[in-house]
Amino acid sequence: MAATPIAVITGASSGIGAATARQLAAAGFRVVLTARRKDRIEALAAELTDAGHQATAYALDVTDRAAVDEFATAFRSLAVLINNAGGALGADPVATGDPADWRQMYETNVIGTLNVTQALLPALTASGDGTVVILSSTAGLSTYEGGGGYVAAKHGEHVLAETLRLEIVGTPVRVIEIAPGMVKTDEFATTRFRGDTEKAAKVYAGVDAPLTADDVADTITWAVTRPSHVNIDLLVVRPRAQASNSKVHRTL
């Protein structure tokens, strides 16, 4: 009897990460939930376990390399890594953007992804059929005003995915990049605007049906569960109302 495949999900405490954990668990994976907010991932692990799935919570800051390396020692073999931890801070122009915000976004989105991927790549390779998923953004493919710091970080993450795929071709590990456009979650825009819910709401004002966390999780789960020889190099997913980062149809 084959062992249950294990999927590690970073940033699993809310939004896309939590939705992906639920969908991968339902698809038959044993999910390992990581995030800084221990209470959130423990509650989600309990929810999934109560539903008859296999789930474990592990508090982890992906920017702490020593902690990531310690976490990785638990895995001799790993089927899937979902690099979801990240986020945006601020929407200031380049001329006045806070370098501390830029640095934090780069550390979380790029260095965090690098840390976890490097640490778990041996276990993914040892599985004989591993998958690395990097959740980037359409911000990693084109720019927009007020998004310089986030765009720079997501471009870095996009290039990390592209380069890793070139470097490990021929090994039993595929590299999938999912690049969502406008996704309305409970926290993304609110975090970006430091708790200003009014400013966060304006991001989605008048937009008919922006993507949800479940929409993106469904896309991730589909990509991960394709036959082993099929690699979804890059999948861009946007709501119908969004044609590009700067072209969104609003009914206002």
Side-chain angles (χ1 to χ4, degrees):
M1 182 173 167
T4 302
I6 302 171
V8 169
I9 303 149
T10 69
S13 59
S14 65
I16 293 170
T20 301
R22 290 186 177 99
Q23 293 201 27
L24 287 179
F29 288 86
R30 173 191 160 202
V31 293
V32 179
L33 319 173
T34 75
R36 290 176 297 177
R37 295 180 291 185
K38 185 179 180 181
D39 58 333
R40 291 282 195 98
I41 54 174
E42 286 182 342
L44 178 55
E47 171 199 319
L48 294 173
T49 301
D50 288 346
H53 304 305
Q54 298 181 56
T56 306
Y58 190 103
L60 183 68
D61 179 349
V62 296
T63 67
D64 183 339
R65 184 55 188 256
V68 170
D69 287 342
E70 175 63 26
F71 168 69
T73 62
F75 303 95
R76 291 184 179 179
S77 178
L78 179 65
V80 175
L81 166 60
I82 310 291
N83 283 297
N84 169 71
L89 288 173
D92 300 313
V94 172
T96 57
D98 186 345
D101 286 346
W102 283 55
R103 187 173 293 108
Q104 185 173 338
M105 285 186 281
Y106 191 85
E107 286 286 338
T108 306
N109 291 280
V110 184
I111 303 302
T113 295
L114 178 66
N115 283 341
V116 180
T117 301
Q118 285 183 338
L120 290 175
L121 194 55
L124 288 157
T125 306
S127 75
D129 188 16
T131 300
V132 176
V133 175
I134 293 178
L135 192 75
S136 62
S137 167
T138 54
L141 307 175
S142 62
T143 191
Y144 59 93
E145 293 171 293
Y150 182 61
V151 167
K154 286 300 184 181
H155 269 70
E157 201 171 13
H158 167 65
V159 170
L160 189 162
E162 278 196 334
T163 307
L164 177 64
R165 190 180 302 113
L166 290 171
E167 292 172 344
I168 67 171
V169 66
T171 72
V173 179
R174 55 187 178 177
V175 180
I176 294 171
E177 180 182 357
I178 306 294
M182 179 179 282
V183 185
K184 186 177 183 181
T185 64
D186 292 338
E187 296 186 334
F188 181 83
T190 303
T191 299
R192 183 171 205 166
F193 296 112
R194 295 176 170 82
D196 188 331
T197 54
E198 184 177 343
K199 192 176 284 189
K202 288 180 180 179
V203 173
Y204 311 103
V207 179
D208 181 27
L211 296 178
T212 67
D214 282 330
D215 293 328
V216 181
D218 181 59
T219 302
I220 293 169
T221 303
W222 174 82
V224 164
T225 55
R226 293 312 83 208
S228 298
H229 70 287
V230 177
N231 194 88
I232 309 301
D233 282 15
L234 171 63
L235 195 159
V236 175
V237 53
R238 292 189 175 102
R240 186 170 59 185
Q242 183 184 29
S244 73
N245 288 342
S246 57
K247 181 66 174 180
V248 180
H249 177 72
R250 299 179 190 272
T251 57
L252 298 177

